[in-house]
Amino acid sequence: FACDKCRTAWENSVMHDFEDSGDSPLELSPLDELKAKLRGDVVCDTDSAEVYNDAKLIWNGDWEIVNAPKMVVHARGVTDIQNTIAYAKAAGLELAVRCGGHSLKGLSTNDGGLVLDLGKYMKAVRIDNKTERVWFQGGCLVKDVDMETVPFGYATVLGAVGNAGTGGLVSGGGYGYFSRKYGLSVDNVLEIELVTADGTYLTCSENENSDLFWACRGGQSNFGVITAFTMQLFRCPTEIYGGLVLYDMDDAEIVLDAFQQFALDPDCPREASTHIYSLTLSEEQKLLSVQVCYLGDPEEGKQAYAKFLGAATCVDDQTKVTTYQQYQVFSDEVYRIKGIPSYWRSRNMKPNIKLPIRDLIDVINASPAEGILVLEHFGGRIMELEPSSTAYRHRDQDFVITFTGFGFQNGESRDAVKKWIDESTDKLLPACSGGSYLNYDSGAAEASFGENLPRLRQIKKKYDPENFFTCNINILPEE
Ligand SMILES: Cc1cc2nc3c(=O)[nH]c(=O)nc-3n(C[C@H](O)[C@H](O)[C@H](O)COP(=O)(O)OP(=O)(O)OC[C@H]3O[C@@H](n4cnc5c(N)ncnc54)[C@H](O)[C@@H]3O)c2cc1C
């Protein structure tokens, strides 16, 4: 206080309030105490519907995902996260961690719990050209990182869509256009900073808390709230070759066969990343869309793809020489809007298996208007690493199939989508391995982590013995 007079005035006013209310002015509710400690914000289900709905918005608007948290905390840093964990524990609230909110299964929200969001404020990115590393906070979207690295001529392995969050994408595997050349995101993480269930702030790497480092690379949010990643950078070409080539379904057999020959050729360039989609213009009119991306000299890319793409006469060829960032924006446009209902299932195909081309065509032909079949070419560097090198173990598949129902509007069309996906999964079962790409699906822990599960359960027991972090493919602590 500047002088004794000021002190007396303040004491009198406090005593006055105290006497009037019959309550201590320092006795705050636990929630008010949390708010007082935070640099970030809290939005509760008692706030205006507009503010609350905006704060809890996630990418998948499927009404079967119950997105009704009691509150959302937008954290600004490590201490906000520590205080929020302490509050959620004391209040007995389930805690869901959220970055981009792109979980296809709604794993970043809950019913009546607390959503801890890093995506609003924790988006700092710093690149170090000397060591060729990028450090970024656990609330960054893929494009936040790309926008800071690509202009300097660098990139790291992140997803194929700029709007997806890195928090879920990297901790769950991370497949992108660079994966065939450099591996999954988890294979390029050098250091992770996180807050564990008891509020401890830790750094982990190959040399420090290496058990936790191993577990966090595939174990999603089971081990803590990841506040920052450090990842390896590599040179990103200034120009790339890519785009869509559309074919009539009558040519699907020829195109899929050409794709298979291209993808399974041992000399298939690792710069080439290929996705096949079914496109439904109307229930009667469907197209097969080949999305190509060559992250190297564009002329080499054109040549590498020429035989495959020329196997049949296309309806439309939209490929061009472009930049990596512009290429990603193209995918972003398709998936930009949050809140559209969708339903997803993913299956890894068995290793060294030929594509069941006839069955794939039947599945596409049977799809409802909202149904999309996606076939992605994995392989390359992903396959060279041991399944136990990180917690993410699915490394032996050349292809991943994903079934999606996107944009259904009512229960009837949702049921039709689900029926199509159930029947398609059964039909393609003989060609599938039983595993799935973890970022697209959320099966049981046994199928998801397989032989890595016992070690993951030991590490869970060490860092989260009470299984506080449950909004994920949950790993139970070892008994
Ligand atoms: C349009 C679209 C495109 C996609 N493209 C790709 C792709 O190209 N490649 C690919 O691999 N995947 C892709 N995915 C899947 C995506 O990787 C997963 O949905 C991923 O979970 C999204 O991460 P997020 O941070 O946005 O998710 P959120 O919904 O925020 O979180 C998902 C899970 O991760 C946990 N989590 C999030 N942030 C943190 C954190 N900081 N610390 C600890 N745990 C955290 C959450 O608790 C939750 O369990 C795509 C998804 C969509 C919707």
Side-chain angles (χ1 to χ4, degrees):
F1 292 96
C3 63
D4 284 348
K5 255 190 190 170
C6 297
R7 175 188 294 277
T8 314
W10 178 78
E11 281 172 357
N12 284 344
S13 75
V14 170
M15 289 312 289
H16 181 72
D17 285 351
F18 178 63
E19 278 157 16
D20 275 358
S21 66
D23 208 357
S24 162
L26 300 177
E27 251 182 46
L28 296 171
S29 73
L31 180 57
D32 285 335
E33 263 183 33
L34 173 69
K35 286 179 181 170
K37 285 179 190 162
L38 292 179
R39 289 196 295 131
D41 335 315
V42 182
V43 175
C44 295
D45 56 359
T46 48
D47 285 314
S48 79
E50 195 187 347
V51 171
Y52 172 67
N53 288 337
D54 187 51
K56 73 178 177 118
L57 186 64
I58 53 171
W59 185 81
N60 191 349
D62 183 3
W63 50 86
E64 295 280 318
I65 295 171
V66 184
N67 180 17
K70 206 171 162 52
M71 66 187 73
V72 178
V73 175
H74 299 292
R76 281 189 187 268
V78 170
T79 53
D80 276 3
I81 292 170
Q82 291 172 317
N83 285 321
T84 305
I85 289 176
Y87 170 80
K89 274 189 166 176
L93 293 174
E94 183 181 49
L95 183 129
V97 188
R98 195 179 76 201
C99 170
H102 271 58
S103 166
L104 304 170
K105 298 288 176 181
L107 294 178
S108 48
T109 189
N110 55 28
D111 184 8
L114 187 155
V115 169
L116 173 54
D117 170 51
L118 281 69
K120 186 169 180 185
Y121 297 124
M122 295 186 62
K123 293 164 101 69
V125 184
R126 199 171 55 233
I127 84 161
D128 183 342
N129 308 34
K130 285 198 195 101
T131 56
E132 301 198 315
R133 291 168 166 217
V134 59
W135 172 95
F136 55 92
Q137 285 186 301
C140 284
L141 302 181
V142 167
K143 68 178 175 196
D144 294 324
V145 182
D146 285 343
M147 285 168 83
E148 289 292 334
T149 57
V150 179
F152 290 97
Y154 287 105
T156 187
V157 180
L158 295 171
V161 174
N163 278 324
T166 58
L169 184 135
V170 177
S171 62
Y175 167 79
Y177 298 119
F178 284 104
S179 288
R180 287 186 24 80
K181 187 156 187 186
Y182 297 108
L184 297 168
S185 302
V186 287
D187 305 329
N188 291 279
V189 175
L190 300 168
E191 201 170 87
I192 289 176
E193 293 158 43
L194 79 165
V195 179
T196 54
D198 66 359
T200 309
Y201 176 47
L202 287 173
T203 299
C204 59
S205 66
E206 288 293 359
N207 305 318
E208 195 179 358
N209 300 308
S210 57
D211 54 351
L212 192 56
F213 183 57
W214 177 83
C216 285
R217 288 175 297 152
Q220 301 181 318
S221 61
N222 268 287
F223 301 94
V225 182
I226 297 174
T227 59
F229 297 96
T230 302
M231 289 184 68
Q232 184 67 54
L233 288 171
F234 33 76
R235 284 278 161 198
C236 179
T238 330
E239 288 191 322
I240 67 157
Y241 165 71
L244 291 183
V245 188
L246 306 178
Y247 297 91
D248 202 281
M249 275 307 288
D250 289 343
D251 290 321
E253 192 161 350
I254 300 170
V255 176
L256 287 172
D257 186 52
F259 167 56
Q260 169 164 262
Q261 286 181 34
F262 172 79
L264 296 181
D265 182 342
D267 292 329
C268 179
R270 293 190 173 189
E271 288 80 4
S273 187
T274 315
H275 298 54
I276 310 259
Y277 301 92
S278 62
L279 274 186
T280 302
L281 303 181
S282 68
E283 210 142 329
E284 296 76 42
Q285 206 192 352
K286 290 171 183 162
L287 294 174
L288 196 68
S289 160
V290 179
Q291 186 187 347
V292 304
C293 178
Y294 189 88
L295 295 165
D297 177 58
E299 277 311 313
E300 275 176 31
K302 276 185 203 167
Q303 280 168 26
Y305 272 110
K307 190 171 167 208
F308 159 29
L309 298 179
T313 308
C314 67
V315 178
D316 191 15
D317 181 350
Q318 301 170 4
T319 55
K320 58 181 178 189
V321 177
T322 181
T323 64
Y324 179 62
Q325 269 179 304
Q326 273 170 357
Y327 188 79
Q328 278 210 327
V329 169
F330 145 82
S331 305
D332 273 343
E333 277 307 304
V334 182
Y335 295 115
R336 187 173 45 89
I337 301 167
K338 281 188 175 176
I340 296 176
S342 59
Y343 184 88
W344 298 71
R345 192 173 300 159
S346 152
R347 291 289 177 268
N348 293 336
M349 298 200 66
K350 283 181 181 156
N352 308 316
I353 194 167
K354 290 228 156 193
L355 285 175
I357 291 177
R358 227 16 283 169
D359 288 342
L360 287 168
I361 293 171
D362 289 347
V363 162
I364 294 172
N365 284 333
S367 65
E370 301 84 356
I372 305 170
L373 180 124
V374 186
L375 190 60
E376 285 170 291
H377 182 203
F378 272 52
R381 176 68 183 152
I382 304 167
M383 273 184 161
E384 285 174 351
L385 298 169
E386 289 298 319
S388 60
S389 59
T390 63
Y392 186 89
R393 76 170 180 116
H394 303 278
R395 293 182 176 276
D396 57 5
Q397 72 282 2
D398 281 297
F399 304 107
V400 173
I401 299 181
T402 304
F403 309 94
T404 309
F406 186 70
F408 43 81
Q409 293 300 321
N410 53 44
E412 204 182 319
S413 52
R414 188 184 190 280
D415 288 348
V417 158
K418 190 158 177 309
K419 183 166 176 281
W420 171 66
I421 294 180
D422 286 344
E423 288 171 359
S424 305
T425 321
D426 285 348
K427 195 175 184 75
L428 297 174
L429 192 65
C432 296
S433 69
S436 57
Y437 178 52
L438 301 191
N439 274 341
Y440 297 162
D441 216 318
S442 58
E446 286 73 16
S448 302
F449 301 111
E451 63 277 20
N452 286 340
L453 187 59
R455 186 173 173 202
L456 282 165
R457 292 190 60 189
Q458 282 169 8
I459 300 170
K460 180 85 171 173
K461 185 180 176 185
K462 182 170 167 190
Y463 291 98
D464 184 14
E466 286 161 18
N467 197 13
F468 175 65
F469 295 111
T470 51
C471 295
N472 39 47
I473 299 178
N474 196 233
I475 297 166
L476 293 175
E478 187 187 51
E479 281 164 14

